[in-house]
Amino acid sequence: ETGVTQTPRHLVMGMTNKKSLKCEQHLGHNAMYWYKQSAKKPLELMFVYNFKEQTENNSVPSRFSPECPNSSHLFLHLHTLQPEDSALYLCASSQDQGGEQYFGPGTRLTVT
Amino acid sequence: GDSVTQMEGPVTLSEEAFLTINCTYTATGYPSLFWYVQYPGEGLQLLLKATKADDKGSNKGFEATYRKETTSFHLEKGSVQVSDSAVYFCALSIRATGNQFYFGTGTSLTVIP
């Protein structure tokens, strides 16, 4: 596989469920990002990791919990979500923080 | 602070029409500038970039020139196709202020046959 991959591509979950989104990059990059994209809203940066260390958390609710075990993998753990959390969640990576970003295809999340 | 402003959409054009999507920026330091494209159901893809003033980025018939004097990076294409229908995002990268990356709000383009 090349580039940035995300699994699953689609996820439907109830408000009491716990699920995780996975992102993997095969580009040798050191920085990884989570974005939320909702209909008719700007792209929202959620978290940034640089060399496995979290460098940004843009006031994201604690029901979203990121994990970056190494520079190639990034997870977003979800629990007790709300319907307004339904969105496309995009993962991206860059060689270093601030560099041009390469995106995965996204996970379309629906919270029922 | 640093930011990117791009024209509101949606934009609807007939096939073979000329496209311009405006993008202006505010930045401290010397940013790199980017255009990304998002096709329906997909993630964002880098379309083109320019890293210094007067550079022209180009790809797939799209062009944008980094204009420092007008702080602009407008996206143009001479003849659009139906397959160009997508959302276009302008973005900038600033390395001088903590390595930040900023996206515009996106402009939706629909090309009709």
Side-chain angles (χ1 to χ4, degrees):
Chain A
E1 293 236 44
T2 58
V4 181
T5 58
Q6 290 186 244
T7 54
R9 291 294 309 275
H10 300 273
L11 178 62
V12 179
M13 59 186 289
M15 288 190 284
T16 58
N17 290 159
K18 289 185 180 181
K19 296 286 185 184
S20 295
L21 309 185
K22 179 183 176 182
C23 175
E24 185 173 359
Q25 57 96 0
H26 308 268
L27 301 169
H29 290 168
N30 298 310
M32 297 188 77
Y33 311 78
W34 279 117
Y35 288 88
K36 177 183 179 182
Q37 189 177 36
S38 304
K40 302 189 190 307
K41 285 189 175 181
L43 202 58
E44 298 174 47
L45 177 64
M46 300 174 72
F47 302 103
V48 181
Y49 279 82
N50 197 30
F51 291 95
K52 301 189 299 178
E53 299 298 320
Q54 187 179 117
T55 56
E56 280 194 48
N57 175 341
N58 285 333
S59 303
V60 180
S62 60
R63 58 186 184 270
F64 295 91
S65 174
E67 178 189 1
C68 188
N70 55 59
S71 293
S72 298
H73 293 85
L74 185 64
F75 295 89
L76 188 62
H77 303 300
L78 316 171
H79 63 97
T80 59
L81 293 191
Q82 303 299 310
E84 61 264 29
D85 297 323
S86 298
L88 182 67
Y89 288 84
L90 292 165
C91 174
S93 69
S94 60
Q95 183 61 53
D96 49 24
Q97 188 170 342
E100 65 190 65
Q101 296 185 13
Y102 293 79
F103 283 79
T107 294
R108 173 68 62 185
L109 174 66
T110 303
V111 181
T112 61
Chain B
D2 303 323
S3 66
V4 172
T5 301
Q6 61 181 104
M7 66 185 281
E8 297 265 340
V11 174
T12 302
L13 294 174
S14 297
E15 206 165 20
E16 299 184 4
F18 185 87
L19 169 71
T20 300
I21 300 178
N22 290 339
C23 172
T24 57
Y25 67 89
T26 303
T28 53
Y30 303 95
S32 296
L33 300 171
F34 307 85
W35 277 102
Y36 282 80
V37 58
Q38 185 178 29
Y39 298 104
E42 298 183 14
L44 279 69
Q45 301 175 26
L46 179 64
L47 180 60
L48 53 83
K49 66 179 181 181
T51 57
K52 61 183 187 296
D54 299 324
D55 270 2
K56 177 186 282 189
S58 61
N59 186 22
K60 299 181 181 179
F62 290 89
E63 292 184 339
T65 301
Y66 187 165
R67 303 276 188 208
K68 187 178 177 184
E69 63 276 13
T70 54
T71 63
S72 65
F73 192 55
H74 303 323
L75 182 69
E76 296 181 336
K77 187 175 186 182
S79 175
V80 292
Q81 305 300 312
V82 172
S83 57
D84 294 326
S85 298
V87 180
Y88 292 83
F89 294 87
C90 186
L92 72 81
S93 166
I94 295 277
R95 293 190 179 277
T97 55
N99 294 336
Q100 298 296 323
F101 206 97
Y102 300 91
F103 283 93
T105 53
T107 302
S108 175
L109 169 67
T110 300
V111 180
I112 54 177

